[in-house]
Amino acid sequence: MNAIQIKNVTKRYKNVAALHDVSFSFESGKIYGFLGRNGAGKSTLINIIANRIFADSGEILIDDLPAKENIKVHEKIFCMSEADLYDAGLKVKDLFKWINRFYDSFDLDKAFEIAGKFNLDTNKKFKALSKGYQSIFKLTVALSLMVPYVIFDEPVLGLDANHRELFYDLLLKDFQHNERTIIIATHLIEEVANIIEEVVLIDQGKVLLQDHVSTLMEMGYSIYGPAKEVDAYCADKNIIGYDELGNLKIAYVLGEKTPLPKNSNLSASAMNLQKLFVKLTEKGGI
Amino acid sequence: MNAIQIKNVTKRYKNVAALHDVSFSFESGKIYGFLGRNGAGKSTLINIIANRIFADSGEILIDDLPAKENIKVHEKIFCMSEADLYDAGLKVKDLFKWINRFYDSFDLDKAFEIAGKFNLDTNKKFKALSKGYQSIFKLTVALSLMVPYVIFDEPVLGLDANHRELFYDLLLKDFQHNERTIIIATHLIEEVANIIEEVVLIDQGKVLLQDHVSTLMEMGYSIYGPAKEVDAYCADKNIIGYDELGNLKIAYVLGEKTPLPKNSNLSASAMNLQKLFVKLTEKGGI
């Protein structure tokens, strides 16, 4: 089976359990949202998969082969991460060329093409780039490597809204031509809700939930309209959150949709995934 | 008049104009969204207001007094910024105490209280904090300073969704008790849409737009439903963007709302501010 299999992985830092007997799989050819709060254990697991740190126990299999210190496996996977693993004193164009020498599957022309779309100045040194453009450099590298498994760890940190949209567009276009496994760890849940197919939600070092986005979306819905009407409709509902905008209100409702009152000014729309996950990962949960 | 007045401010870096004859005011007692793309000039203007860099020409008045190197003025304003202006080797609790000695208006108890709400470990050194927690440290300081003008520059960078909600809640509660001027520079436009009252949008070193959020929201609306019905309804409309989710679609429409077809499965809701600003700041604009 083509997949990343995580088997009973445990990792402790001093006295804190970062991951506690975690088992699940990322299957081949899907786009995953890998979600969880700061400190939940996401980055620890990504670093174990990427062979940067080692689990205390358990193992990772990639395409059925143990991933630990296995070069044949690590040619198949690339992980874009928050940490800066490059010589920050080099210019972007020289970093591209340096990466091109190390990775057979790096597409140098594509890297320059993507950099152009983001107006990334390839003559600048990495350390002279703004935080947003440092993220853009890293996601450009990840999008230009033709490996079967790509992990994006906070790919849009510091990006403006236009560049975030551009990244999501490029990612989906790439996926249409080249169906590989893409794992996106992000805190901007609502923005990736219509890109990802499946969600793995980590909480306090354990898998809290793994499911299809479409199934999660059916857990509830949103109701929008004048605040008084929203409140009246929601009186007997299980509400996980509200947003207000002047006299208008949006309520995020768990459960199956009941009919809207006749002649009301209410409208119903899809579940808000971010509100759902905030609620699920609050102390106590739903 | 109580306000921050920006008067004909121009600033060049080498041959690049970062700000070009910019004039506008932040009025007293409002919450502003200070928006714009990466590189638009936002941080440059914030740094000029905060007296960290100087304009080539023009001036800033705060409560009618020139802000440049004026200590009486700078006791009234605090700017939380991306740059790390603190001794990163100190522990959070010692940084709080250090800030407390320099700022009369710093509320040390409040700082520890807010840190507790975010589970910020005050025994950790600043440099040992994750990016998300470095942001949390900075916004905690900003929320604990009782000055009449507070500028937040990317306050939620790296924060998870739960902590972003907590920040917005704390900000609004603080504002209800203590109506001061709050300026939020952020790329997460949609998340602050129901917090901010007025928007200043900077583009290519100029003010592109200054308006009330309620006025901007009236520029259009969103339509949600089965993709085919959405497409049919939108055929003669000015569409600034789409999102798709399986067979469902959201269209972001500019212009006044026309009636929905009878017996349709469509529903209408509020304008998406982020989509509007992405469109406004694209090459060519709307």
Side-chain angles (χ1 to χ4, degrees):
Chain A
M1 190 176 76
N2 293 327
I4 300 177
Q5 293 174 70
I6 292 119
K7 290 191 156 180
N8 307 103
V9 167
T10 291
K11 176 75 184 177
R12 301 181 72 85
Y13 292 113
K14 289 180 188 166
N15 294 317
V16 185
L19 294 171
H20 186 79
D21 195 24
V22 169
S23 297
F24 69 96
S25 295
F26 292 113
E27 287 167 35
S28 194
K30 285 187 178 176
I31 304 183
Y32 283 88
F34 186 40
L35 309 178
R37 300 204 49 184
N38 268 330
K42 289 195 313 287
S43 294
T44 299
L45 186 56
I46 289 173
N47 283 328
I48 293 172
I49 295 172
N51 223 21
R52 289 179 194 147
I53 59 173
F54 300 120
D56 297 337
S57 57
E59 67 171 346
I60 311 278
L61 301 178
I62 295 180
D63 294 351
D64 292 328
L65 296 170
K68 192 175 172 185
E69 296 182 282
N70 184 338
I71 189 122
K72 282 280 169 223
V73 165
H74 279 277
E75 284 172 353
K76 294 185 177 187
I77 189 164
F78 182 77
C79 172
M80 170 207 167
S81 68
E82 219 188 64
D84 302 328
L85 304 170
Y86 307 102
D87 180 345
L90 288 181
K91 289 178 180 176
V92 168
K93 63 180 180 185
D94 295 324
L95 282 170
F96 283 163
K97 288 171 194 162
W98 184 84
I99 293 161
N100 193 43
R101 266 182 292 159
F102 277 82
Y103 290 92
D104 285 343
S105 63
F106 190 70
D107 185 336
L108 187 62
D109 292 340
K110 192 172 179 184
F112 278 103
E113 187 194 321
I114 293 172
K117 287 182 178 167
F118 282 104
N119 291 316
L120 167 61
D121 182 350
T122 58
N123 284 311
K124 270 199 178 175
K125 290 177 181 172
F126 179 82
K127 66 181 175 191
L129 300 174
S130 68
K131 274 190 187 165
Y133 270 108
Q134 291 186 353
S135 294
I136 286 170
F137 166 76
K138 292 179 199 172
L139 64 84
T140 298
V141 172
L143 286 171
S144 306
L145 267 162
M146 298 297 103
V147 292
Y149 299 100
V150 186
I151 304 176
F152 291 92
D153 195 2
E154 293 294 339
V156 298
L157 194 77
L159 266 64
D160 64 38
N162 305 55
H163 279 159
R164 296 203 302 279
E165 284 204 352
L166 177 57
F167 167 67
Y168 302 134
D169 277 356
L170 290 172
L171 187 76
L172 285 178
K173 274 182 194 142
D174 172 86
F175 186 72
Q176 278 159 7
H177 292 289
N178 179 15
E179 210 170 275
R180 45 195 185 150
T181 305
I182 293 173
I183 299 161
I184 309 172
T186 183
H187 292 308
L188 301 189
I189 299 169
E190 202 45 28
E191 288 201 351
V192 296
N194 50 2
I195 290 171
I196 57 182
E197 187 179 343
E198 204 164 321
V199 165
V200 178
L201 176 61
I202 296 261
D203 196 41
Q204 297 180 44
K206 296 179 184 175
V207 177
L208 187 64
L209 176 154
Q210 176 166 22
D211 219 330
H212 288 89
V213 170
S214 55
T215 310
L216 294 168
M217 296 299 285
E218 284 165 11
M219 287 179 69
Y221 56 105
S222 309
I223 284 289
Y224 169 81
K228 279 187 182 176
E229 290 187 41
V230 169
D231 288 339
Y233 174 83
C234 292
D236 60 350
K237 305 278 188 297
N238 187 1
I239 306 301
I240 57 173
Y242 287 107
D243 279 318
E244 285 177 87
L245 198 73
N247 296 320
L248 295 168
K249 197 166 182 176
I250 303 177
Y252 306 100
V253 188
L254 271 194
E256 209 169 317
K257 194 167 83 182
T258 60
L260 302 179
K262 274 184 188 166
N263 303 318
S264 81
N265 297 301
L266 298 175
S267 60
S269 61
M271 187 67 188
N272 182 301
L273 214 57
Q274 184 162 301
K275 295 283 170 189
L276 177 64
F277 287 0
V278 165
K279 202 70 191 175
L280 284 168
T281 56
E282 265 178 5
K283 279 169 202 154
I286 288 184
Chain B
M1 189 178 76
N2 294 327
I4 300 176
Q5 294 174 70
I6 292 118
K7 290 191 156 178
N8 308 103
V9 167
T10 292
K11 176 76 183 176
R12 300 182 72 84
Y13 293 113
K14 288 182 188 166
N15 294 317
V16 184
L19 294 170
H20 187 80
D21 195 24
V22 168
S23 297
F24 69 96
S25 295
F26 292 112
E27 288 168 35
S28 194
K30 285 187 179 176
I31 304 184
Y32 283 88
F34 186 39
L35 309 177
R37 300 205 49 184
N38 268 330
K42 289 195 314 284
S43 294
T44 300
L45 186 57
I46 288 173
N47 282 327
I48 293 172
I49 294 171
N51 222 22
R52 289 180 195 147
I53 59 173
F54 299 120
D56 297 336
S57 58
E59 66 172 348
I60 311 280
L61 301 179
I62 295 180
D63 294 350
D64 291 327
L65 295 170
K68 192 175 169 184
E69 296 181 283
N70 185 338
I71 190 123
K72 283 277 169 229
V73 164
H74 280 276
E75 285 171 352
K76 294 185 176 188
I77 189 164
F78 181 77
C79 172
M80 169 204 168
S81 69
E82 218 188 65
D84 302 327
L85 303 170
Y86 308 102
D87 181 344
L90 287 182
K91 289 179 179 175
V92 168
K93 63 180 179 186
D94 295 323
L95 282 169
F96 283 163
K97 288 170 193 164
W98 184 84
I99 293 162
N100 193 43
R101 268 182 290 159
F102 277 81
Y103 290 93
D104 284 344
S105 63
F106 189 71
D107 185 337
L108 187 61
D109 292 339
K110 191 171 180 183
F112 279 103
E113 186 194 321
I114 293 172
K117 287 182 178 169
F118 282 104
N119 291 316
L120 169 60
D121 181 352
T122 57
N123 284 310
K124 269 199 176 173
K125 289 177 181 171
F126 178 83
K127 66 180 174 191
L129 300 175
S130 67
K131 274 191 188 164
Y133 269 108
Q134 290 186 353
S135 294
I136 286 170
F137 167 76
K138 292 178 199 174
L139 65 84
T140 299
V141 172
L143 286 171
S144 307
L145 267 161
M146 299 296 102
V147 292
Y149 299 100
V150 186
I151 304 177
F152 292 93
D153 195 0
E154 293 295 339
V156 297
L157 195 75
L159 267 65
D160 65 38
N162 305 55
H163 280 158
R164 297 203 301 278
E165 284 204 353
L166 177 58
F167 168 66
Y168 301 134
D169 278 356
L170 290 172
L171 188 76
L172 285 178
K173 273 180 195 142
D174 172 86
F175 186 74
Q176 278 160 7
H177 293 288
N178 179 14
E179 210 170 275
R180 45 195 186 150
T181 305
I182 292 173
I183 299 161
I184 309 173
T186 183
H187 292 309
L188 301 189
I189 299 169
E190 201 46 27
E191 288 201 348
V192 296
N194 51 1
I195 291 171
I196 57 182
E197 186 179 345
E198 203 164 319
V199 165
V200 178
L201 176 62
I202 296 263
D203 197 41
Q204 298 179 44
K206 295 178 185 176
V207 178
L208 187 65
L209 176 154
Q210 176 167 22
D211 217 330
H212 288 89
V213 170
S214 55
T215 311
L216 294 168
M217 297 298 285
E218 284 165 11
M219 287 179 69
Y221 57 104
S222 308
I223 283 289
Y224 169 81
K228 279 187 182 177
E229 290 187 41
V230 169
D231 288 339
Y233 174 83
C234 293
D236 60 348
K237 304 278 188 297
N238 187 0
I239 306 301
I240 56 172
Y242 288 108
D243 279 319
E244 285 177 86
L245 197 73
N247 297 319
L248 295 167
K249 199 167 180 175
I250 304 177
Y252 307 101
V253 188
L254 272 193
E256 209 169 318
K257 194 168 81 183
T258 61
L260 302 180
K262 274 182 190 166
N263 303 319
S264 81
N265 299 301
L266 298 176
S267 60
S269 61
M271 185 69 187
N272 182 300
L273 214 56
Q274 184 162 301
K275 296 281 170 187
L276 177 64
F277 288 179
V278 165
K279 202 70 191 174
L280 284 167
T281 56
E282 265 177 7
K283 278 171 201 151
I286 290 183

